[in-house]
Amino acid sequence: MRGGMAARGSLFRQCPLLLPQNGEGTAYEGFVSAQGRDFHIRILLPTDSQLKNARIECSWHLKKILHGYRHILKQRLHSCPDLVSFVVELKTILEIALKNTQELHVPWPPEYYSCLVRDLEILGWNKVVYVDTGLTTVKLKAEDSRGRQHLITLKLNAKYPTEPPDCIVDFPAQFAISWMPQDSLVDIHNQFLAALESLKEFWDTMDEIDGKTWVLEPENPARCATSRRIAIGSNVSVNIEVDPRHPKMLPECYFLGADHVVNPLRTKLNNNMHLWDPEISLLQNLKDLLEIDFPSRAVLEKSDFTKDCGICYAYRLHGTTPDQVCDEPRCGQPFHQACLYEWLQGLPSSRQSFNVIFGECPYCNKPLTLKSSMKKP
């Protein structure tokens, strides 16, 4: 899960408009940008995340531009090690394709512009946040019943309103609009509002967690983020994955910290699981089942839980935070997984069996066991 969060961060830096559509990280939808233009794309990964079996869906315009490069894209899907690498390759290929395309500046029909301006006036300019100079990208705003502000980005093509615009939203679940040729931006805005209300309980749940606990990761959660790593104590935390459609149900929980601290928490969770009450908030349920109070934001500072890695002496490393802790109670030093893995590999006394490496703590020499998905070089 932590690797997935880091990968999503890298993907966001490459394509900030390409967002995950589910918690498993198998569906991404949004836009890739090249030469100042945005192109709608959907990437569907199989459950084993093998890129060679991925399905790429895109707008008719992007499909036309990339038509002569399909064999190259297939080759890249087979050779790229991860989704971030493929997206970088895709953007490079798209840049080349655009430079070689002769139809970049074909004027759109006048009816398109008159229809779009009319729809914007009917919708109301007070709901419009942004319109680009070419009148092909429109950002609209809406407020849900809790007063939260949300944006929807519309990418229109020359066939509007016969064809609907592509929509991108910061949602934890897929947003698909129903569209008829006689529909307008008002219909999209109304469907957007209805979708906001359907996710109201999910955002209520996440807002309560963000407001009443110390969330270690993600640092600045987007509205689509379904996971939270919550501080329980010094070098002890729990990572939860919330179902956006059933936010009051028991989430997936993964404890991080020394075994002598987290094992009792796992036992309490398992023993008290039958007490989960969907009529009360997720946060209160977690408190009741774990028989704890999460550290208060009013009393403690986040720095009380953000202890630096004992090897690189930094808290954040490539977007990740220390998530490995020495199990010796008198030590309890935290480490980044990557730092500890590299340290243990450098010890003459360490040994490795498959994805498990055995060694000693750099501080107290207590035996350490590290499970890692990293491959031995």
Side-chain angles (χ1 to χ4, degrees):
M1 186 180 296
R2 294 184 297 277
M5 292 172 65
R8 289 185 187 184
S10 300
L11 185 62
F12 181 79
R13 285 190 289 274
Q14 290 294 335
C15 284
L17 291 179
L18 186 63
L19 298 177
Q21 299 298 304
N22 59 18
E24 295 79 23
T26 58
Y28 293 81
E29 185 172 2
F31 300 89
V32 291
S33 303
Q35 293 194 0
R37 302 170 63 192
D38 297 324
F39 299 89
H40 182 250
I41 191 169
R42 183 184 292 116
I43 302 175
L44 302 174
L45 301 174
T47 53
D48 60 1
S49 297
Q50 291 293 315
L51 275 179
K52 62 181 180 181
N53 298 320
R55 192 163 88 245
I56 311 296
E57 301 173 357
C58 59
S59 63
W60 63 271
H61 188 48
L62 179 57
K63 192 176 294 184
K64 183 178 179 181
I65 293 172
L66 293 175
H67 179 72
Y69 300 83
R70 293 179 65 180
H71 66 289
I72 300 176
L73 287 172
K74 279 189 177 181
Q75 185 185 49
R76 294 295 189 269
L77 272 176
H78 280 75
S79 60
C80 285
D82 51 49
L83 181 59
V84 178
S85 302
F86 172 71
V87 169
V88 173
E89 295 274 8
L90 173 63
K91 290 174 68 176
T92 302
I93 294 169
L94 182 54
E95 290 279 355
I96 296 171
L98 285 171
K99 289 176 183 177
N100 295 331
T101 299
Q102 301 301 316
E103 301 177 357
L104 292 180
H105 305 292
V106 175
W108 288 15
E111 296 80 8
Y112 163 83
Y113 298 102
S114 58
C115 181
L116 177 59
V117 172
R118 182 200 65 208
D119 283 359
L120 288 170
E121 288 177 347
I122 294 173
L123 176 66
W125 290 101
N126 61 318
K127 297 182 179 69
V128 180
V129 175
Y130 169 82
V131 180
D132 71 336
T133 54
L135 295 182
T136 59
T137 301
V138 178
K139 291 185 180 181
L140 307 177
K141 64 180 178 180
E143 187 175 284
D144 64 26
S145 58
R146 294 286 195 266
R148 290 178 287 247
Q149 296 291 327
H150 303 267
L151 295 178
I152 179 170
T153 300
L154 310 178
K155 298 288 184 177
L156 300 101
N157 62 57
K159 295 184 179 182
Y160 177 86
T162 304
E163 290 187 1
D166 294 324
C167 304
I168 184 168
V169 292
D170 191 7
F171 280 8
Q174 187 172 4
F175 174 68
I177 63 168
S178 59
W179 184 263
M180 299 291 288
Q182 66 269 23
D183 287 344
S184 70
L185 298 185
V186 173
D187 298 285
I188 292 180
H189 197 265
N190 288 337
Q191 291 179 54
F192 183 48
L193 284 171
L196 292 179
E197 288 309 295
S198 72
L199 291 165
K200 178 176 63 177
E201 279 197 349
F202 168 75
W203 285 318
D204 287 346
T205 297
M206 306 313 272
D207 284 352
E208 182 183 22
I209 293 171
D210 294 339
K212 294 183 178 180
T213 70
W214 282 115
V215 173
L216 304 180
E217 292 182 288
E219 193 171 14
N220 296 299
R223 286 293 179 195
C224 66
T226 57
S227 65
R228 295 291 191 274
R229 181 180 167 197
I230 308 170
I232 296 177
S234 180
N235 302 326
V236 186
S237 58
V238 59
N239 200 95
I240 64 170
E241 183 73 31
V242 181
D243 184 343
R245 295 302 183 189
H246 305 93
K248 288 192 174 182
M249 301 304 291
L250 176 65
E252 293 182 31
C253 297
Y254 177 69
F255 293 96
L256 299 102
D259 287 345
H260 71 277
V261 179
V262 301
N263 283 342
L265 293 172
R266 291 194 190 101
T267 301
K268 286 180 182 177
L269 181 64
N270 291 331
N271 291 344
N272 296 333
M273 203 174 291
H274 65 284
L275 300 175
W276 189 274
D277 183 0
E279 297 301 316
I280 62 177
S281 74
L282 182 148
L283 183 60
Q284 187 59 51
N285 269 307
L286 285 177
K287 291 180 181 179
D288 294 344
L289 267 63
L290 297 175
E291 301 173 7
I292 62 170
D293 276 323
F294 289 99
S296 169
R297 295 175 66 94
V299 177
L300 298 169
E301 298 294 330
K302 192 172 184 178
S303 57
D304 294 324
F305 312 105
T306 55
K307 193 172 180 182
D308 294 343
C309 169
I311 295 173
C312 72
Y313 304 112
Y315 180 64
R316 290 199 175 272
L317 178 69
H318 307 309
T320 65
T321 59
D323 56 6
Q324 305 295 321
V325 180
C326 175
D327 198 35
E328 168 57 52
R330 292 169 295 181
C331 178
Q333 178 64 48
F335 309 97
H336 294 114
Q337 185 185 43
C339 294
L340 187 57
Y341 185 84
E342 187 176 347
W343 170 273
L344 294 177
Q345 275 201 320
L347 292 178
S349 58
S350 70
R351 59 188 180 87
Q352 186 164 354
S353 175
F354 297 102
N355 68 330
V356 180
I357 188 168
F358 303 88
E360 297 174 341
C361 172
Y363 281 71
C364 69
N365 295 324
K366 178 182 174 65
L368 284 176
T369 301
L370 177 65
K371 292 182 180 179
S372 174
S373 58
M374 303 175 191
K375 294 180 180 179
K376 193 171 182 179

